[in-house]
Every structure is written in structure tokens, then in C-alpha cells.
Amino acid sequence: MATKLAVLGTLVLALLGPVSCQQQQAGYGYGAGSPTPTTSPPPPPPAAGAGLSVGYYKDKCAEAETIVQEAVRAADAGTKAGLLRLFFHDCFVQGCDASVLLKPDNDTNPQPEMLGVPNLSLRGFEVIDAAKAAVEARCPGVVSCADIVAFAGRDASAFLSGGAINFTMPAGRYDGTVSLANETLPNLPPPFADVRRLKAMFAAKGLDTVDMVALSGAHSIGRSHCSSFSSDRLPPSNTSDMDPAFAATLQASCASSANGAADNTVVQDYRTPDQLDNQYYRNVISHKVLFASDAALLKSSDTLGLVYVAAFSQKLWQDKFGEAMVKMGGVQVKTAANGEIRRMCGYVNKP
């Protein structure tokens, strides 16, 4: 295996391009069934990250990033994984504008994103709220909830990787005022997506195949509900390429779900479930991953090569993961012209 990784790693390094030296969750919760595939994904957004800058709050609220970091530090590993997923789910719907945090409000957003099927299992809201309250006490009306979500995603990455993933996150986002549950399924990649659909959904956000494979490594932490993968990945499915022994273990863990009891959860990475590392890619290669969307990375020559590179070089993957997180953090950001700085992350500001 090591020799194969080395050879393939050498062959596809060119796919990845130069790596810059920056200072460097969990289950989908779709339940049973398959959402209607998006046949016409939205067009790529305009230039990502326009107006964002590193150290944005240095002269506005100097302690903002430290406050968020301490709030994330206090969370357990599962919640940290949830914060990473929260950032992803925020940016893929309406852009990185904290729209995923908005609670049901009959006056503005009666059916917000958090009520969308893929978001029902999101975690970490209480960490964002705690960070926001602490920041508001220090610097009222200055720090956006969108930036807090982005900082929390960065900090969760650092803590879960033991500090190995350590990148700077530009800031300056404003908070959105629109949040629609019916926009979640068309925009968030489902666990049963094939590689063609994955590429298209990431491309619609201005993210390329390298970004997509790098960010897939987030599946090395967190847990998933059995209902997110059992119907198409476990026996009696005859289309799954999952390792039979691994499938049997999962089937036993999910047994009560099949009997109509609680929807069990299992770890996404059976080897290092609380570490954000490149073990995920080795699991993909050995056919010991939960989702069809994970297994799909072996079905295309370019994604297969990138998987082997990530499995071979943890450092290279860590750098690419940090770059992809920053790039994702620039998707369709709001400005003062179409956003606001919310006083409370769960509600738009009222006059």
C-alpha cells in the first residue's frame, strides 16, 4: 500500500499545483429517501471573498478572534466537529452569511434553513451564541455572526488536528437577512451523490475538484445517523462496494434503527474518529467509508489521484484543506449593501 501511495502521489502532484505556506461534522441527517436531484445548479458566484481581509477586527474589536477561539476550545470534540459542518452548511446556502443560524420568525423567515432536512442534525449553535454574547459585551454591534461562524470553523479545525491545521481566516462578512429551508436540498451535496454531481455542486460555489476532495476530509471527524447511509450502502444493497466486514459491523450498530427504534449514530472515521487527519482518505481507499459520496471519489481518475495524494501526504492535505476552507469562506459574502451586523445571531435586527 505504501509503495502504491508513493507512486500515485508522485504522478498526481501536478494536479494539485503549488501549495502556499499559510500560517495555518458529522452526519448529514437526510434520513431515509432521496431528495430530488438538482438538474440546474445555480451559476458560479461572483469573485469570492471580495472585501475580506485578515485582521479585519484588529482596530475594531481586537479581542474578537480570541473570544471565539476560547468558546470553541471549551466545546467537546463532537461539538467542534459540528462547528466545522455548520460553517460548510452556512456557506453552501445563501453564501457565508450566518443564514443557517436564523430561527423561525413569522415576520421574516418562517421556514429558515435550520428546518431544512440536511440541517436538522446540525450542532454547535450554543457555541456561536456564547461567542456572540461575549463579543457583544466587549464590542457591541461590530462583529458579524457570519465571521464568528467562519472563525469557529477555523478554530475547530485547529483543535481537532492538534494544531496541525492552522490557517488565517479573512473577515469582514455581513450577516444575511434571508433564510429558506427549501434552498438546503438543492445546494447541499447529499450523501448519495456521485462524483459528477459533487463536482457540479462545488463548482456552483466557485470551488474546484481539488477543493472538493480536500474538504471531504472533514468526514474524518464527527458522527452520522444510520439513516443517512444504511439504505444504499448496507445489505441487502447490491450496489455498494463497502468492505463486507466493515458493512457487517455497521449493520450491527444500526440494527435498532432498522427495527424502528432510535436512528443510531456511528463515527464517520472508525480509526481516528476525533482527529481531523488524512485517515479518511485511507478509509476511502480501503472501502471503509459511510457514504456513497465518499466512495464516489474513487470513480473518477482525477479525484482518485487526489485521494491517493492526500492519503500519502498528510501535510499536503492539511495545507490544501486550509486553503479550501478560506476559499469556501469567501462564497457569496454579504456587505453593508445587502447585509447587517445582527445583534443576536438567531434573529434579524428589528427597527
Side-chain angles (χ1 to χ4, degrees):
M1 173 67 77
T3 301
K4 189 175 183 181
L5 290 175
V7 172
L8 282 171
T10 301
L11 289 174
V12 298
L13 282 176
L15 284 173
L16 291 164
V19 179
S20 65
C21 296
Q22 303 184 68
Q23 287 184 331
Q24 295 285 353
Q25 70 82 197
Y28 286 82
Y30 276 85
S34 300
T36 302
T38 302
T39 55
S40 300
L52 302 183
S53 61
V54 173
Y56 179 83
Y57 292 107
K58 181 178 180 181
D59 299 323
K60 299 177 177 66
C61 185
E63 296 179 75
E65 295 192 44
T66 300
I67 290 172
V68 176
Q69 184 182 58
E70 291 309 305
V72 175
R73 187 193 303 275
D76 61 29
T79 302
K80 288 183 176 77
L83 289 168
L84 192 54
R85 184 170 175 242
L86 191 67
F87 181 43
F88 179 91
H89 280 229
D90 183 37
C91 291
F92 264 60
V93 184
Q94 288 280 337
C96 306
D97 65 348
S99 53
V100 73
L101 305 180
L102 288 173
K103 298 178 181 179
D105 184 327
N106 289 332
D107 294 330
T108 54
N109 296 287
Q111 287 289 314
E113 291 169 33
M114 66 166 54
L115 298 183
V117 173
N119 288 343
L120 295 177
S121 59
L122 287 178
R123 303 179 63 186
F125 295 101
E126 72 283 359
V127 177
I128 304 300
D129 287 341
K132 175 64 171 175
V135 169
E136 284 293 304
R138 195 69 53 89
C139 316
V142 174
V143 182
S144 70
C145 298
D147 279 341
I148 291 174
V149 171
F151 292 150
R154 174 202 61 192
D155 296 335
S157 300
F159 287 126
L160 289 167
S161 66
I165 299 175
N166 181 24
F167 56 91
T168 54
M169 177 62 76
R173 302 165 187 81
Y174 277 68
D175 299 322
T177 59
V178 176
S179 184
L180 302 170
N182 63 11
E183 292 188 349
T184 57
L185 286 175
N187 286 284
L188 290 165
F192 49 81
D194 61 22
V195 72
R196 182 177 178 181
R197 187 174 178 192
L198 288 172
K199 289 179 179 181
M201 296 187 82
F202 275 76
K205 307 304 175 185
L207 301 170
D208 61 25
T209 300
V210 174
D211 301 319
M212 184 264 286
V213 175
L215 290 170
S216 296
H219 287 179
S220 71
I221 40 89
R223 304 183 69 86
S224 171
H225 286 277
C226 290
S227 61
S228 294
F229 63 86
S230 57
S231 62
D232 63 336
R233 296 284 286 161
L234 299 182
S237 170
N238 60 3
T239 61
S240 174
D241 63 354
M242 186 183 290
D243 175 84
F246 184 64
T249 299
L250 289 175
Q251 197 161 31
S253 298
C254 295
S256 63
S257 299
N259 293 332
D263 187 4
N264 292 353
T265 63
V266 295
V267 294
Q268 296 198 133
D269 177 354
Y270 76 105
R271 294 291 298 273
T272 56
D274 292 331
Q275 296 176 34
L276 183 57
D277 57 19
N278 69 339
Q279 179 61 43
Y280 162 78
Y281 299 97
R282 295 174 181 269
N283 295 345
V284 171
I285 293 167
S286 62
H287 300 280
K288 296 179 180 179
V289 284
L290 301 185
F291 306 124
S293 59
D294 295 326
L297 298 182
L298 297 181
K299 304 296 176 63
S300 175
S301 60
D302 55 350
T303 55
L304 180 148
L306 293 166
V307 166
Y308 272 92
V309 169
F312 174 65
S313 175
Q314 174 134 286
K315 179 62 167 62
L316 183 55
W317 168 72
Q318 289 165 344
D319 289 343
K320 283 298 176 184
F321 183 84
E323 290 177 3
M325 285 283 284
V326 171
K327 190 173 176 181
M328 183 176 71
V331 172
Q332 294 173 285
V333 297
K334 303 297 189 295
T335 66
N338 61 351
E340 63 181 13
I341 305 297
R342 288 187 215 140
R343 290 185 288 272
M344 297 179 64
C345 288
Y347 301 95
V348 298
N349 295 337
K350 299 291 179 67

PDB file of all heavy atoms in Angstrom, residues 295-327:
ATOM      1  N   ALA A 295     -17.327   7.109  -1.323  1.00  0.00           N
ATOM      2  CA  ALA A 295     -16.848   6.056  -2.218  1.00  0.00           C
ATOM      3  C   ALA A 295     -16.710   6.560  -3.651  1.00  0.00           C
ATOM      4  O   ALA A 295     -15.866   6.071  -4.413  1.00  0.00           O
ATOM      5  CB  ALA A 295     -17.807   4.862  -2.175  1.00  0.00           C
ATOM      6  N   ALA A 296     -17.513   7.549  -4.014  1.00  0.00           N
ATOM      7  CA  ALA A 296     -17.509   8.083  -5.380  1.00  0.00           C
ATOM      8  C   ALA A 296     -16.174   8.714  -5.750  1.00  0.00           C
ATOM      9  O   ALA A 296     -15.857   8.841  -6.938  1.00  0.00           O
ATOM     10  CB  ALA A 296     -18.631   9.109  -5.547  1.00  0.00           C
ATOM     11  N   LEU A 297     -15.372   9.098  -4.765  1.00  0.00           N
ATOM     12  CA  LEU A 297     -14.094   9.746  -5.059  1.00  0.00           C
ATOM     13  C   LEU A 297     -13.121   8.803  -5.763  1.00  0.00           C
ATOM     14  O   LEU A 297     -12.130   9.257  -6.339  1.00  0.00           O
ATOM     15  CB  LEU A 297     -13.462  10.284  -3.768  1.00  0.00           C
ATOM     16  CG  LEU A 297     -14.271  11.353  -3.023  1.00  0.00           C
ATOM     17  CD1 LEU A 297     -13.502  11.829  -1.793  1.00  0.00           C
ATOM     18  CD2 LEU A 297     -14.607  12.533  -3.933  1.00  0.00           C
ATOM     19  N   LEU A 298     -13.409   7.502  -5.722  1.00  0.00           N
ATOM     20  CA  LEU A 298     -12.561   6.541  -6.439  1.00  0.00           C
ATOM     21  C   LEU A 298     -13.049   6.286  -7.858  1.00  0.00           C
ATOM     22  O   LEU A 298     -12.406   5.552  -8.609  1.00  0.00           O
ATOM     23  CB  LEU A 298     -12.529   5.204  -5.685  1.00  0.00           C
ATOM     24  CG  LEU A 298     -11.928   5.203  -4.285  1.00  0.00           C
ATOM     25  CD1 LEU A 298     -11.957   3.789  -3.709  1.00  0.00           C
ATOM     26  CD2 LEU A 298     -10.512   5.754  -4.276  1.00  0.00           C
ATOM     27  N   LYS A 299     -14.154   6.898  -8.249  1.00  0.00           N
ATOM     28  CA  LYS A 299     -14.792   6.584  -9.529  1.00  0.00           C
ATOM     29  C   LYS A 299     -14.371   7.497 -10.671  1.00  0.00           C
ATOM     30  O   LYS A 299     -14.843   7.358 -11.788  1.00  0.00           O
ATOM     31  CB  LYS A 299     -16.319   6.644  -9.358  1.00  0.00           C
ATOM     32  CG  LYS A 299     -16.885   5.745  -8.267  1.00  0.00           C
ATOM     33  CD  LYS A 299     -16.662   4.273  -8.560  1.00  0.00           C
ATOM     34  CE  LYS A 299     -17.133   3.385  -7.415  1.00  0.00           C
ATOM     35  NZ  LYS A 299     -18.564   3.487  -7.166  1.00  0.00           N
ATOM     36  N   SER A 300     -13.513   8.456 -10.385  1.00  0.00           N
ATOM     37  CA  SER A 300     -13.040   9.375 -11.415  1.00  0.00           C
ATOM     38  C   SER A 300     -11.523   9.468 -11.297  1.00  0.00           C
ATOM     39  O   SER A 300     -10.984   9.493 -10.179  1.00  0.00           O
ATOM     40  CB  SER A 300     -13.679  10.755 -11.235  1.00  0.00           C
ATOM     41  OG  SER A 300     -13.167  11.692 -12.148  1.00  0.00           O
ATOM     42  N   SER A 301     -10.821   9.486 -12.417  1.00  0.00           N
ATOM     43  CA  SER A 301      -9.358   9.421 -12.368  1.00  0.00           C
ATOM     44  C   SER A 301      -8.748  10.596 -11.616  1.00  0.00           C
ATOM     45  O   SER A 301      -7.775  10.420 -10.869  1.00  0.00           O
ATOM     46  CB  SER A 301      -8.783   9.359 -13.786  1.00  0.00           C
ATOM     47  OG  SER A 301      -9.155  10.508 -14.541  1.00  0.00           O
ATOM     48  N   ASP A 302      -9.317  11.803 -11.791  1.00  0.00           N
ATOM     49  CA  ASP A 302      -8.719  12.956 -11.107  1.00  0.00           C
ATOM     50  C   ASP A 302      -8.974  12.909  -9.610  1.00  0.00           C
ATOM     51  O   ASP A 302      -8.067  13.148  -8.811  1.00  0.00           O
ATOM     52  CB  ASP A 302      -9.204  14.272 -11.714  1.00  0.00           C
ATOM     53  CG  ASP A 302     -10.718  14.404 -11.748  1.00  0.00           C
ATOM     54  OD1 ASP A 302     -11.426  13.410 -11.486  1.00  0.00           O
ATOM     55  OD2 ASP A 302     -11.199  15.521 -12.045  1.00  0.00           O
ATOM     56  N   THR A 303     -10.197  12.573  -9.190  1.00  0.00           N
ATOM     57  CA  THR A 303     -10.460  12.511  -7.751  1.00  0.00           C
ATOM     58  C   THR A 303      -9.738  11.327  -7.116  1.00  0.00           C
ATOM     59  O   THR A 303      -9.264  11.426  -5.986  1.00  0.00           O
ATOM     60  CB  THR A 303     -11.977  12.419  -7.470  1.00  0.00           C
ATOM     61  OG1 THR A 303     -12.541  11.299  -8.172  1.00  0.00           O
ATOM     62  CG2 THR A 303     -12.685  13.692  -7.905  1.00  0.00           C
ATOM     63  N   LEU A 304      -9.631  10.213  -7.840  1.00  0.00           N
ATOM     64  CA  LEU A 304      -8.882   9.067  -7.306  1.00  0.00           C
ATOM     65  C   LEU A 304      -7.430   9.469  -7.045  1.00  0.00           C
ATOM     66  O   LEU A 304      -6.869   9.142  -5.985  1.00  0.00           O
ATOM     67  CB  LEU A 304      -8.955   7.898  -8.290  1.00  0.00           C
ATOM     68  CG  LEU A 304      -8.230   6.606  -7.887  1.00  0.00           C
ATOM     69  CD1 LEU A 304      -8.948   5.385  -8.432  1.00  0.00           C
ATOM     70  CD2 LEU A 304      -6.781   6.595  -8.380  1.00  0.00           C
ATOM     71  N   GLY A 305      -6.810  10.155  -7.992  1.00  0.00           N
ATOM     72  CA  GLY A 305      -5.435  10.588  -7.794  1.00  0.00           C
ATOM     73  C   GLY A 305      -5.277  11.509  -6.613  1.00  0.00           C
ATOM     74  O   GLY A 305      -4.324  11.388  -5.825  1.00  0.00           O
ATOM     75  N   LEU A 306      -6.229  12.419  -6.439  1.00  0.00           N
ATOM     76  CA  LEU A 306      -6.164  13.358  -5.321  1.00  0.00           C
ATOM     77  C   LEU A 306      -6.348  12.643  -3.981  1.00  0.00           C
ATOM     78  O   LEU A 306      -5.741  13.013  -2.974  1.00  0.00           O
ATOM     79  CB  LEU A 306      -7.227  14.447  -5.496  1.00  0.00           C
ATOM     80  CG  LEU A 306      -6.989  15.393  -6.679  1.00  0.00           C
ATOM     81  CD1 LEU A 306      -8.241  16.200  -6.977  1.00  0.00           C
ATOM     82  CD2 LEU A 306      -5.816  16.322  -6.403  1.00  0.00           C
ATOM     83  N   VAL A 307      -7.201  11.607  -3.971  1.00  0.00           N
ATOM     84  CA  VAL A 307      -7.382  10.809  -2.758  1.00  0.00           C
ATOM     85  C   VAL A 307      -6.067  10.146  -2.366  1.00  0.00           C
ATOM     86  O   VAL A 307      -5.667  10.168  -1.190  1.00  0.00           O
ATOM     87  CB  VAL A 307      -8.487   9.749  -2.967  1.00  0.00           C
ATOM     88  CG1 VAL A 307      -8.448   8.689  -1.857  1.00  0.00           C
ATOM     89  CG2 VAL A 307      -9.861  10.411  -3.002  1.00  0.00           C
ATOM     90  N   TYR A 308      -5.359   9.565  -3.332  1.00  0.00           N
ATOM     91  CA  TYR A 308      -4.093   8.903  -3.027  1.00  0.00           C
ATOM     92  C   TYR A 308      -3.043   9.905  -2.558  1.00  0.00           C
ATOM     93  O   TYR A 308      -2.244   9.606  -1.662  1.00  0.00           O
ATOM     94  CB  TYR A 308      -3.602   8.114  -4.233  1.00  0.00           C
ATOM     95  CG  TYR A 308      -4.142   6.700  -4.267  1.00  0.00           C
ATOM     96  CD1 TYR A 308      -5.318   6.406  -4.947  1.00  0.00           C
ATOM     97  CD2 TYR A 308      -3.493   5.675  -3.588  1.00  0.00           C
ATOM     98  CE1 TYR A 308      -5.826   5.112  -4.960  1.00  0.00           C
ATOM     99  CE2 TYR A 308      -3.986   4.378  -3.594  1.00  0.00           C
ATOM    100  CZ  TYR A 308      -5.161   4.102  -4.284  1.00  0.00           C
ATOM    101  OH  TYR A 308      -5.666   2.822  -4.278  1.00  0.00           O
ATOM    102  N   VAL A 309      -3.019  11.100  -3.154  1.00  0.00           N
ATOM    103  CA  VAL A 309      -2.069  12.124  -2.705  1.00  0.00           C
ATOM    104  C   VAL A 309      -2.352  12.500  -1.256  1.00  0.00           C
ATOM    105  O   VAL A 309      -1.441  12.598  -0.427  1.00  0.00           O
ATOM    106  CB  VAL A 309      -2.138  13.368  -3.606  1.00  0.00           C
ATOM    107  CG1 VAL A 309      -1.367  14.521  -2.978  1.00  0.00           C
ATOM    108  CG2 VAL A 309      -1.558  13.070  -4.966  1.00  0.00           C
ATOM    109  N   ALA A 310      -3.637  12.734  -0.929  1.00  0.00           N
ATOM    110  CA  ALA A 310      -3.999  13.113   0.439  1.00  0.00           C
ATOM    111  C   ALA A 310      -3.674  11.997   1.423  1.00  0.00           C
ATOM    112  O   ALA A 310      -3.232  12.250   2.550  1.00  0.00           O
ATOM    113  CB  ALA A 310      -5.485  13.472   0.505  1.00  0.00           C
ATOM    114  N   ALA A 311      -3.889  10.743   1.006  1.00  0.00           N
ATOM    115  CA  ALA A 311      -3.576   9.610   1.879  1.00  0.00           C
ATOM    116  C   ALA A 311      -2.078   9.478   2.091  1.00  0.00           C
ATOM    117  O   ALA A 311      -1.619   9.080   3.167  1.00  0.00           O
ATOM    118  CB  ALA A 311      -4.139   8.320   1.274  1.00  0.00           C
ATOM    119  N   PHE A 312      -1.299   9.825   1.084  1.00  0.00           N
ATOM    120  CA  PHE A 312       0.156   9.684   1.142  1.00  0.00           C
ATOM    121  C   PHE A 312       0.813  10.810   1.931  1.00  0.00           C
ATOM    122  O   PHE A 312       1.761  10.595   2.690  1.00  0.00           O
ATOM    123  CB  PHE A 312       0.713   9.649  -0.283  1.00  0.00           C
ATOM    124  CG  PHE A 312       2.216   9.652  -0.357  1.00  0.00           C
ATOM    125  CD1 PHE A 312       2.962   8.591   0.142  1.00  0.00           C
ATOM    126  CD2 PHE A 312       2.885  10.728  -0.911  1.00  0.00           C
ATOM    127  CE1 PHE A 312       4.346   8.596   0.073  1.00  0.00           C
ATOM    128  CE2 PHE A 312       4.266  10.742  -0.980  1.00  0.00           C
ATOM    129  CZ  PHE A 312       5.004   9.674  -0.484  1.00  0.00           C
ATOM    130  N   SER A 313       0.322  12.045   1.778  1.00  0.00           N
ATOM    131  CA  SER A 313       0.959  13.201   2.409  1.00  0.00           C
ATOM    132  C   SER A 313      -0.024  13.965   3.280  1.00  0.00           C
ATOM    133  O   SER A 313      -0.842  14.742   2.780  1.00  0.00           O
ATOM    134  CB  SER A 313       1.540  14.142   1.346  1.00  0.00           C
ATOM    135  OG  SER A 313       2.045  15.322   1.958  1.00  0.00           O
ATOM    136  N   GLN A 314       0.057  13.730   4.578  1.00  0.00           N
ATOM    137  CA  GLN A 314      -0.826  14.443   5.497  1.00  0.00           C
ATOM    138  C   GLN A 314      -0.586  15.947   5.430  1.00  0.00           C
ATOM    139  O   GLN A 314      -1.525  16.737   5.440  1.00  0.00           O
ATOM    140  CB  GLN A 314      -0.623  13.940   6.932  1.00  0.00           C
ATOM    141  CG  GLN A 314      -1.417  14.732   7.977  1.00  0.00           C
ATOM    142  CD  GLN A 314      -2.123  13.848   8.959  1.00  0.00           C
ATOM    143  OE1 GLN A 314      -3.128  13.213   8.637  1.00  0.00           O
ATOM    144  NE2 GLN A 314      -1.599  13.785  10.175  1.00  0.00           N
ATOM    145  N   LYS A 315       0.665  16.381   5.357  1.00  0.00           N
ATOM    146  CA  LYS A 315       0.985  17.806   5.341  1.00  0.00           C
ATOM    147  C   LYS A 315       0.394  18.490   4.097  1.00  0.00           C
ATOM    148  O   LYS A 315      -0.149  19.592   4.185  1.00  0.00           O
ATOM    149  CB  LYS A 315       2.502  18.005   5.372  1.00  0.00           C
ATOM    150  CG  LYS A 315       2.953  19.469   5.328  1.00  0.00           C
ATOM    151  CD  LYS A 315       2.451  20.241   6.557  1.00  0.00           C
ATOM    152  CE  LYS A 315       3.126  21.591   6.717  1.00  0.00           C
ATOM    153  NZ  LYS A 315       2.886  22.505   5.602  1.00  0.00           N
ATOM    154  N   LEU A 316       0.518  17.843   2.970  1.00  0.00           N
ATOM    155  CA  LEU A 316      -0.023  18.418   1.746  1.00  0.00           C
ATOM    156  C   LEU A 316      -1.538  18.563   1.852  1.00  0.00           C
ATOM    157  O   LEU A 316      -2.107  19.595   1.496  1.00  0.00           O
ATOM    158  CB  LEU A 316       0.335  17.546   0.545  1.00  0.00           C
ATOM    159  CG  LEU A 316      -0.094  18.052  -0.827  1.00  0.00           C
ATOM    160  CD1 LEU A 316       0.441  19.447  -1.079  1.00  0.00           C
ATOM    161  CD2 LEU A 316       0.386  17.103  -1.914  1.00  0.00           C
ATOM    162  N   TRP A 317      -2.198  17.520   2.366  1.00  0.00           N
ATOM    163  CA  TRP A 317      -3.646  17.615   2.547  1.00  0.00           C
ATOM    164  C   TRP A 317      -4.003  18.710   3.557  1.00  0.00           C
ATOM    165  O   TRP A 317      -4.941  19.480   3.339  1.00  0.00           O
ATOM    166  CB  TRP A 317      -4.245  16.283   3.016  1.00  0.00           C
ATOM    167  CG  TRP A 317      -5.660  16.500   3.471  1.00  0.00           C
ATOM    168  CD1 TRP A 317      -6.747  16.760   2.684  1.00  0.00           C
ATOM    169  CD2 TRP A 317      -6.116  16.564   4.824  1.00  0.00           C
ATOM    170  NE1 TRP A 317      -7.852  16.977   3.465  1.00  0.00           N
ATOM    171  CE2 TRP A 317      -7.495  16.866   4.770  1.00  0.00           C
ATOM    172  CE3 TRP A 317      -5.498  16.401   6.067  1.00  0.00           C
ATOM    173  CZ2 TRP A 317      -8.268  16.991   5.929  1.00  0.00           C
ATOM    174  CZ3 TRP A 317      -6.254  16.530   7.213  1.00  0.00           C
ATOM    175  CH2 TRP A 317      -7.631  16.822   7.147  1.00  0.00           C
ATOM    176  N   GLN A 318      -3.277  18.813   4.660  1.00  0.00           N
ATOM    177  CA  GLN A 318      -3.573  19.849   5.663  1.00  0.00           C
ATOM    178  C   GLN A 318      -3.502  21.240   5.050  1.00  0.00           C
ATOM    179  O   GLN A 318      -4.361  22.086   5.312  1.00  0.00           O
ATOM    180  CB  GLN A 318      -2.590  19.730   6.838  1.00  0.00           C
ATOM    181  CG  GLN A 318      -2.815  18.510   7.707  1.00  0.00           C
ATOM    182  CD  GLN A 318      -1.646  18.211   8.634  1.00  0.00           C
ATOM    183  OE1 GLN A 318      -0.535  18.721   8.449  1.00  0.00           O
ATOM    184  NE2 GLN A 318      -1.879  17.377   9.638  1.00  0.00           N
ATOM    185  N   ASP A 319      -2.478  21.488   4.244  1.00  0.00           N
ATOM    186  CA  ASP A 319      -2.344  22.793   3.598  1.00  0.00           C
ATOM    187  C   ASP A 319      -3.494  23.050   2.634  1.00  0.00           C
ATOM    188  O   ASP A 319      -4.060  24.147   2.596  1.00  0.00           O
ATOM    189  CB  ASP A 319      -1.014  22.888   2.856  1.00  0.00           C
ATOM    190  CG  ASP A 319       0.188  22.982   3.789  1.00  0.00           C
ATOM    191  OD1 ASP A 319      -0.014  23.288   4.983  1.00  0.00           O
ATOM    192  OD2 ASP A 319       1.322  22.752   3.332  1.00  0.00           O
ATOM    193  N   LYS A 320      -3.831  22.031   1.841  1.00  0.00           N
ATOM    194  CA  LYS A 320      -4.917  22.182   0.880  1.00  0.00           C
ATOM    195  C   LYS A 320      -6.266  22.354   1.593  1.00  0.00           C
ATOM    196  O   LYS A 320      -7.137  23.076   1.128  1.00  0.00           O
ATOM    197  CB  LYS A 320      -4.956  20.987  -0.072  1.00  0.00           C
ATOM    198  CG  LYS A 320      -3.888  21.048  -1.153  1.00  0.00           C
ATOM    199  CD  LYS A 320      -4.085  22.275  -2.041  1.00  0.00           C
ATOM    200  CE  LYS A 320      -2.972  22.405  -3.062  1.00  0.00           C
ATOM    201  NZ  LYS A 320      -3.117  23.646  -3.863  1.00  0.00           N
ATOM    202  N   PHE A 321      -6.433  21.676   2.719  1.00  0.00           N
ATOM    203  CA  PHE A 321      -7.674  21.817   3.480  1.00  0.00           C
ATOM    204  C   PHE A 321      -7.820  23.254   3.968  1.00  0.00           C
ATOM    205  O   PHE A 321      -8.893  23.856   3.851  1.00  0.00           O
ATOM    206  CB  PHE A 321      -7.679  20.847   4.670  1.00  0.00           C
ATOM    207  CG  PHE A 321      -8.953  20.883   5.479  1.00  0.00           C
ATOM    208  CD1 PHE A 321     -10.052  20.144   5.091  1.00  0.00           C
ATOM    209  CD2 PHE A 321      -9.041  21.663   6.635  1.00  0.00           C
ATOM    210  CE1 PHE A 321     -11.233  20.175   5.828  1.00  0.00           C
ATOM    211  CE2 PHE A 321     -10.205  21.698   7.377  1.00  0.00           C
ATOM    212  CZ  PHE A 321     -11.310  20.959   6.976  1.00  0.00           C
ATOM    213  N   GLY A 322      -6.748  23.816   4.525  1.00  0.00           N
ATOM    214  CA  GLY A 322      -6.791  25.202   4.984  1.00  0.00           C
ATOM    215  C   GLY A 322      -7.090  26.164   3.852  1.00  0.00           C
ATOM    216  O   GLY A 322      -7.896  27.092   3.996  1.00  0.00           O
ATOM    217  N   GLU A 323      -6.460  25.956   2.693  1.00  0.00           N
ATOM    218  CA  GLU A 323      -6.714  26.821   1.546  1.00  0.00           C
ATOM    219  C   GLU A 323      -8.172  26.731   1.101  1.00  0.00           C
ATOM    220  O   GLU A 323      -8.799  27.743   0.767  1.00  0.00           O
ATOM    221  CB  GLU A 323      -5.793  26.432   0.390  1.00  0.00           C
ATOM    222  CG  GLU A 323      -4.329  26.763   0.631  1.00  0.00           C
ATOM    223  CD  GLU A 323      -3.442  26.291  -0.514  1.00  0.00           C
ATOM    224  OE1 GLU A 323      -3.990  25.753  -1.512  1.00  0.00           O
ATOM    225  OE2 GLU A 323      -2.222  26.465  -0.425  1.00  0.00           O
ATOM    226  N   ALA A 324      -8.707  25.505   1.085  1.00  0.00           N
ATOM    227  CA  ALA A 324     -10.087  25.315   0.648  1.00  0.00           C
ATOM    228  C   ALA A 324     -11.076  25.924   1.648  1.00  0.00           C
ATOM    229  O   ALA A 324     -12.121  26.455   1.250  1.00  0.00           O
ATOM    230  CB  ALA A 324     -10.373  23.823   0.465  1.00  0.00           C
ATOM    231  N   MET A 325     -10.763  25.874   2.935  1.00  0.00           N
ATOM    232  CA  MET A 325     -11.629  26.492   3.937  1.00  0.00           C
ATOM    233  C   MET A 325     -11.691  28.005   3.732  1.00  0.00           C
ATOM    234  O   MET A 325     -12.763  28.620   3.816  1.00  0.00           O
ATOM    235  CB  MET A 325     -11.106  26.170   5.338  1.00  0.00           C
ATOM    236  CG  MET A 325     -11.369  24.745   5.792  1.00  0.00           C
ATOM    237  SD  MET A 325     -13.077  24.462   6.323  1.00  0.00           S
ATOM    238  CE  MET A 325     -13.031  25.262   7.955  1.00  0.00           C
ATOM    239  N   VAL A 326     -10.550  28.617   3.466  1.00  0.00           N
ATOM    240  CA  VAL A 326     -10.523  30.059   3.224  1.00  0.00           C
ATOM    241  C   VAL A 326     -11.296  30.394   1.955  1.00  0.00           C
ATOM    242  O   VAL A 326     -12.073  31.358   1.913  1.00  0.00           O
ATOM    243  CB  VAL A 326      -9.071  30.563   3.125  1.00  0.00           C
ATOM    244  CG1 VAL A 326      -9.022  32.008   2.647  1.00  0.00           C
ATOM    245  CG2 VAL A 326      -8.379  30.435   4.482  1.00  0.00           C
ATOM    246  N   LYS A 327     -11.091  29.597   0.925  1.00  0.00           N
ATOM    247  CA  LYS A 327     -11.792  29.837  -0.339  1.00  0.00           C
ATOM    248  C   LYS A 327     -13.300  29.685  -0.160  1.00  0.00           C
ATOM    249  O   LYS A 327     -14.085  30.500  -0.657  1.00  0.00           O
ATOM    250  CB  LYS A 327     -11.272  28.859  -1.401  1.00  0.00           C
ATOM    251  CG  LYS A 327     -11.740  29.136  -2.808  1.00  0.00           C
ATOM    252  CD  LYS A 327     -11.027  28.198  -3.786  1.00  0.00           C
ATOM    253  CE  LYS A 327     -11.524  28.363  -5.206  1.00  0.00           C
ATOM    254  NZ  LYS A 327     -10.833  27.410  -6.129  1.00  0.00           N
TER     255      LYS A 327
END
